Amino acid sequence: MNSADIRPPKTALARSTIEQMEIYLHVKNTRKFRKSRGQGIAEYGAMLAFVCVLVALAFSFAPGRLLPAVSEAYGAVVSQLNDLTNTASSGS
């Protein structure tokens, strides 16, 4: 046996190199996806914290005026929804 008989054919070598590159690219893309997903979660957490701070500041600067304003807005929305429901019922 000479050394040419022991080596794999070139097509098998090329196929194995392509498979190795595919595995490498899959692993690389998976790591990138995990990193970007973690970054998105951190950004949503930061936005949620910012909104919580804004709400806390709103409650602290207007302790007696905020509740009536929210209650009035809620009442206005409820009355508009009731009007729409009555209009839809009478039209049917």
Side-chain angles (χ1 to χ4, degrees), residues 33-82:
F33 173 72
R34 287 182 185 161
K35 182 179 178 184
S36 66
R37 184 175 61 185
Q39 180 182 2
I41 291 171
E43 289 172 355
Y44 283 125
M47 285 190 290
L48 181 62
F50 181 70
V51 169
C52 289
V53 168
L54 288 179
V55 168
L57 286 173
F59 277 113
S60 68
F61 284 123
R65 294 176 289 188
L66 195 59
L67 184 62
V70 170
S71 181
E72 182 181 334
Y74 179 74
V77 169
V78 168
S79 67
Q80 286 181 1
L81 288 175
N82 286 335

